[in-house]
Amino acid sequence: MGEFDLIARYFTRPARRAALGVGDDCALLQPRPGHQLAISSDMLVAGCHFFPDVDPRALGHKSLAVNLSDLAACGAQPLAFTLALALPEVNEPWLAAFADGLLALADAHGCELVGGDTTAGPLNICITVFGEVPAPGGRSQALLRSGAHAGDDIYVSGTLGDARLALDALLGKADLPADVLAQARQRLEQPTPRVTLGLALRGIASAAIDVSDGLLGDLGHILECSGIGATVNVDSASSLIAASACSTGARGQFSINLSEVQRRLLTLCGGDDYELLFTAPTAMRSAVAAAAQTAHTPVTRIGQIDAAPGLRLMDHQGQAVPNTYASFDHFA
Ligand code: ADP
Ligand code: MG
């Protein structure tokens, strides 16, 4: 099977909202009047971002999910995406399953595949997504990293740390019962992009980012871009791991015994969570709760923005906790 047959069979579908989809030199998109395009790219490299033998359906899902997560963090409505693919060989069952996982998530969000590039080479997947944000009178409603103010609450959606727990187990660094590994692995390999929550937070959140490299590291980007500091309750954050029996309330979905140190490490600097981390004025607490309900996505308040620069950690007793937590950096 040649390059063009492969594109035609697995990656060509009739254009829907796009003015022109796959098949010409460019795709054409028509943003609605009064809207801006939100654009983001993410690359997934075999052996670096995923195990080369990972289930191709899950890989298709995750490749788009991590990109949709960036749109979610900006409060953008997904429109379309392009797919640049390097493949070591044409393996049709692999391609069929990859396309299936990818396009199922695309359809769930009404996000069309409008073009891309296909080449031979080490397995590499690069997606660019296009979304839409209202900008009435040129005033963008996009959620940015730079909008947090002193006094704002800090929230995070969903659960934290389970993806990293699964990664540690798959790398042989942690020993997990099979049922716990299966559920944690779901979080690692098939994350749920928080698109609906991002949309519901427009006009409510003051700043937002998605958690891809670890909670504290990604919070650091908000602090830097907004020129402020923060205090985080590490016990609130570390209770958000689903895998631990120690988790509080509804989030403790499956149970193994993790020490406090392990739970803090996994949740504060685990990475690959694809949850939304956002800030909002305290006057917006009920609006945040309503947005979470609309989006069927739990959110938890984990701290406060301070005027003083820097990140301070404390526990439930209000005792200071030393910050020894580093987030993921590909070149560190
Ligand atoms: P060009 O050489 O002009 O860049 P290509 O021959 O690479 O175009 O691709 C032909 C058409 O197929 C283009 O419309 C391109 O966007 C589309 N395409 C190529 N690879 C993919 C892919 N993996 N997924 C979706 N569309 C693709
Ligand atoms: Mg090309």
Side-chain angles (χ1 to χ4, degrees):
M1 170 177 282
E3 176 186 337
F4 299 104
D5 293 332
L6 184 163
I7 297 166
R9 177 160 312 169
Y10 296 107
F11 301 116
T12 305
R13 301 162 111 205
R16 284 177 292 178
R17 281 169 65 186
L20 183 65
V22 169
D24 213 306
D25 289 307
C26 291
L28 299 173
L29 293 179
Q30 179 70 64
R32 285 182 294 166
H35 287 70
Q36 289 178 327
L37 278 182
I39 302 164
S40 181
S41 293
D42 259 305
M43 181 152 65
L44 277 79
V45 178
C48 176
H49 297 94
F50 60 92
F51 295 103
D53 63 350
V54 70
D55 170 23
R57 194 177 307 271
L59 183 60
H61 173 102
K62 184 165 179 176
S63 302
L64 183 60
V66 302
N67 280 278
L68 292 176
S69 178
D70 286 315
L71 290 184
C74 287
Q77 174 75 53
L79 285 181
F81 69 106
T82 61
L83 169 67
L85 199 55
L87 297 169
E89 58 175 345
V90 177
N91 173 340
E92 290 212 55
W94 189 96
L95 273 167
F98 175 82
D100 229 49
L102 177 84
L103 296 175
L105 183 65
D107 288 345
H109 290 278
C111 191
E112 292 180 68
L113 176 55
V114 294
D117 199 21
T118 306
T119 166
L123 182 58
N124 188 326
I125 302 148
C126 183
I127 286 180
T128 299
V129 278
F130 302 86
E132 203 177 55
V133 185
R139 282 184 313 280
S140 180
Q141 292 178 0
L143 304 176
L144 303 178
R145 297 176 180 188
S146 53
H149 292 288
D152 286 356
D153 293 316
I154 304 172
Y155 298 86
V156 65
S157 67
T159 62
L160 291 174
D162 300 289
R164 177 56 180 270
L165 182 64
L167 179 64
D168 285 351
L170 295 172
L171 290 172
K173 295 188 206 164
D175 204 14
L176 295 182
D179 58 325
V180 175
L181 175 58
Q183 294 191 68
R185 197 168 175 166
Q186 176 80 14
R187 296 285 293 132
L188 174 68
E189 295 180 352
Q190 298 194 66
T192 303
R194 301 301 188 184
V195 173
T196 318
L197 180 63
L199 294 173
L201 288 171
R202 285 200 305 230
I204 296 170
S206 49
I209 189 170
D210 67 319
V211 181
S212 52
D213 296 332
L215 179 76
L216 296 185
D218 288 319
L219 176 60
H221 297 307
I222 288 185
L223 303 188
E224 198 175 319
C225 294
S226 299
I228 36 80
T231 304
V232 167
N233 183 324
V234 297
D235 289 328
S236 299
S238 67
S239 74
L240 296 180
I241 186 160
S244 174
C246 305
S247 300
T248 53
R251 311 291 171 80
Q253 294 155 8
F254 37 103
S255 56
I256 52 164
N257 285 317
L258 294 173
S259 70
E260 179 176 80
V261 172
Q262 284 173 313
R263 277 183 294 127
R264 285 182 179 177
L265 269 171
L266 290 166
T267 53
L268 299 179
C269 47
D272 256 349
D273 296 301
Y274 301 103
E275 294 295 351
L276 292 189
L277 171 64
F278 61 97
T279 61
T282 53
M284 289 289 185
R285 281 184 186 174
S286 56
V288 168
Q293 201 153 31
T294 305
H296 303 292
T297 307
V299 305
T300 304
R301 192 146 47 84
I302 58 160
Q304 204 102 49
I305 296 294
D306 308 324
L311 175 61
R312 287 154 292 278
L313 305 181
M314 60 169 209
D315 63 17
H316 269 327
Q317 271 86 50
Q319 297 290 315
V321 174
N323 184 358
T324 52
Y325 305 98
S327 72
F328 189 76
D329 178 337
H330 279 282
F331 295 102

